[in-house]
Amino acid sequence: MNSLKLRLFRVLLLCAGTGLLVAGCSNDDDSPRELSSKTTLTLSKYYNDKGATTLPTWGRNDKAGLFAADQSVPEAVYAAPIQPGSQKSLFLFTLDAPQHATSTIVAFWPSDANLRCENGTLKTVIPTMQTGFVTPILVGKATAQLNAYEGCSMELKNLFCTMYISVKKGHYSVSKVVIKANGGEAIAGEFTVDIDDWSTSASEQTITVTLPTPMDCSQETQLIPVMIAPATLLQGYTVTIYDSKGEDIALIKKTEPVTLEAGGKLDTDLMAGPAFPSQWIFSASTVGQYNSSWSASNMLPSTSGSSGLSLIHISEPTR
């Protein structure tokens, strides 16, 4: 009888050991599986197209998107805020991720943003042809064990920088501006963010902003907003300003290094012109005083320029 009990005890020990071994192997092979993750997301301010800041809050009908960035080409998953009406809210995402190991995730807003995640990079587009409106993409990153009770948190910040072009008050309207980096740095086009170190790159060197209707500058100084890629412009930038007739009327040129920061803004210098939108031409002769007729001998050459004052002395002719 004692022998039978001993055998049974040994079998139970063997089963228990096998179960522990299986559990240990299961933890080692922590392949992605569907799980729920508590995630707290905080929206940060961004610079809008009015020259001020907007601090968004989570709306009842809003959603946030999330990528499991450790996967090669993850599909975004979406969730609604549990605490709408505030800048900060808890979300409950359902996604495929390891149960025990840590994972890197990227959250974004708005949920319909043109944003992809591929092989450890985020990809989007900063348009080279813009219309003077700002469309932010707020993004954040976290690394955590996703199904842990405490969950994870991140703050979402704008991926882009906002440049404000200052257009001087004057009797003209502006229809278009063109921005270019003097050193040839890329400031728009295909825009990528390395998720590991958050370094960025773009593909195009020029941005053109064509306003829907010409901007009247007769009453006050105006601002034209531009979405631009974060970068260091080692030789500064040049902005060419065009009036409603399509003529270039002024330049804003900065040759010192400039740093464009993600989520930040840059105010350009105030444009210096136009001092005189068109040229003046001046001609004179001695006809008025001496009742002589116009001829090549008594008509002064035409003088043209863009600014200043000319004083012309007319000598009395020999009688």
Side-chain angles (χ1 to χ4, degrees):
M1 188 67 178
N2 289 336
S3 176
L4 182 59
K5 287 182 179 180
L6 183 59
R7 281 184 178 182
L8 183 58
F9 182 68
R10 287 177 177 175
V11 169
L12 291 175
L13 283 178
L14 181 61
C15 291
T18 302
L20 289 174
L21 182 61
V22 168
C25 292
S26 176
N27 286 342
D28 291 339
D29 181 25
D30 200 5
S31 55
R33 67 197 66 193
E34 185 177 286
L35 51 83
S36 295
S37 175
K38 293 194 303 184
T39 307
T40 300
L41 301 179
T42 302
L43 295 171
S44 63
K45 68 180 182 181
Y46 65 88
Y47 290 94
N48 58 35
D49 47 32
K50 305 299 183 184
T53 57
T54 295
L55 183 58
T57 59
W58 293 109
R60 189 172 302 277
N61 297 321
D62 271 343
K63 286 187 177 181
L66 185 140
F67 293 114
D70 296 326
Q71 301 173 23
S72 57
V73 187
E75 291 287 335
V77 295
Y78 302 93
I82 296 175
Q83 300 154 307
S86 63
Q87 179 189 355
K88 180 178 181 180
S89 178
L90 178 66
F91 291 77
L92 187 62
F93 290 98
T94 301
L95 72 162
D96 290 335
Q99 184 176 3
H100 302 286
T102 59
S103 300
T104 298
I105 54 174
V106 172
F108 62 92
W109 176 89
S111 59
D112 59 354
N114 177 23
L115 187 67
R116 310 184 310 277
C117 183
E118 298 177 6
N119 301 314
T121 62
L122 296 176
K123 297 183 178 182
T124 187
V125 174
I126 299 176
T128 57
M129 305 298 293
Q130 300 183 24
T131 57
F133 295 96
V134 173
T135 306
I137 300 180
L138 275 54
V139 174
K141 179 184 79 168
T143 300
Q145 184 177 333
L146 299 184
N147 68 336
Y149 176 77
E150 59 273 14
C152 63
S153 301
M154 63 189 93
E155 183 178 4
L156 310 188
K157 298 182 179 180
N158 196 5
L159 282 180
F160 313 144
C161 177
T162 304
M163 173 185 279
Y164 292 109
I165 299 171
S166 298
V167 182
K168 188 177 181 180
K169 176 184 175 182
H171 293 290
Y172 52 87
S173 296
V174 171
S175 64
K176 181 175 73 173
V177 297
V178 177
I179 306 98
K180 187 171 184 178
N182 296 333
E185 295 90 351
I187 55 174
E190 295 290 334
F191 180 66
T192 62
V193 181
D194 187 295
I195 293 174
D196 285 338
D197 59 11
W198 222 245
S199 59
T200 63
S201 65
S203 62
E204 303 297 328
Q205 300 173 1
T206 303
I207 298 173
T208 299
V209 180
T210 303
L211 302 174
T213 57
M215 176 181 283
D216 179 15
C217 302
S218 62
Q219 300 300 316
E220 60 184 354
T221 295
Q222 300 278 16
L223 293 178
I224 299 177
V226 185
M227 296 181 292
I228 191 167
T232 298
L233 310 182
L234 297 177
Q235 298 178 36
Y237 58 86
T238 297
V239 180
T240 307
I241 299 174
Y242 295 82
D243 66 8
S244 56
K245 298 177 182 178
E247 298 177 355
D248 56 319
I249 58 172
L251 286 178
I252 301 174
K253 189 165 186 176
K254 190 174 185 66
T255 57
E256 295 83 6
V258 171
T259 299
L260 305 171
E261 297 183 351
K265 71 163 182 171
L266 175 72
D267 294 306
T268 68
D269 296 334
L270 187 66
M271 61 177 266
F276 291 86
S278 58
Q279 290 186 322
W280 49 264
I281 298 176
F282 180 84
S283 296
S285 83
T286 61
V287 172
Q289 184 174 358
Y290 298 104
N291 198 28
S292 59
S293 60
W294 290 99
S295 68
S297 63
N298 66 19
M299 187 169 67
L300 301 177
S302 296
T303 306
S304 64
S306 60
S307 64
L309 175 66
S310 291
L311 298 177
I312 299 177
H313 174 70
I314 303 176
S315 300
E316 181 177 342
T318 304
R319 296 186 182 272

